[in-house]
Amino acid sequence: NKKKLREHEDFFNKRGFVLTNKSCERMAMLIHYILSGIPVLIEGPTGTSKTRTTLIACEYITKIINKNSKYDDSLLRFNLSAETNIDDLLVKFTGDNQSASGLKIEEGQFFRAYTKGHKLLLDSINLARKEVLECIQQALDNKVLSTELTGIGLKKYIMHRNFGIIATQNPNKGAFINK
């Protein structure tokens, strides 16, 4: 609701975000989609504040809309690239000098957000590999995330009701053509 945002114009001004008619409309839509659990894809050239707008929208949700909530609705963030593997988003074994086995299970940002109900910002989604995008799409479509680790087997996790996902990408032209 644009009118509600205007009531909190100081919040946005303190963060260097000017609420013009257009930016207020975009911010209101973004906040609505995030609160409704609708996945969001923001496309625009580098330097057009895609990430910054998302960070401010999520901070607004946490500090203004949900300020009295006991629920931790913090934003997690992950920068995707052609080097990103599915394990980087979900779960993987990593070295741990403190454990008897020398290993520990590390949860990825997507896994944590999906299972614990955080909002997740995936920056540069257009740079991710096809299999990474397919994994994300399958988890969103099925509302179930399956992971398999050697020695642990297959585990399934239901998507948390408060999970939200926002992705950014550059336009499919110039240096980003076919990415």
Side-chain angles (χ1 to χ4, degrees), residues 58-118:
C58 288
E59 186 180 357
Y60 179 82
I61 291 168
T62 300
K63 291 186 175 175
I64 305 296
I65 296 175
N66 296 340
K67 67 181 173 187
N68 296 322
S69 173
K70 293 180 179 145
Y71 173 71
D72 178 11
D73 59 356
S74 56
L75 175 72
L76 303 179
R77 183 176 172 187
F78 191 88
N79 293 320
L80 292 157
S81 73
E83 307 302 315
T84 303
N85 294 312
I86 293 171
D87 293 349
D88 296 326
L89 293 175
L90 302 182
V91 291
K92 62 184 175 182
F93 285 117
T94 58
D96 182 9
N97 295 337
Q98 306 301 317
S99 79
S101 67
L103 295 172
K104 70 176 179 178
I105 296 175
E106 182 178 311
E107 295 178 349
Q109 298 290 59
F110 184 84
F111 180 85
R112 273 205 318 270
Y114 192 89
T115 59
K116 293 176 176 61
H118 300 291

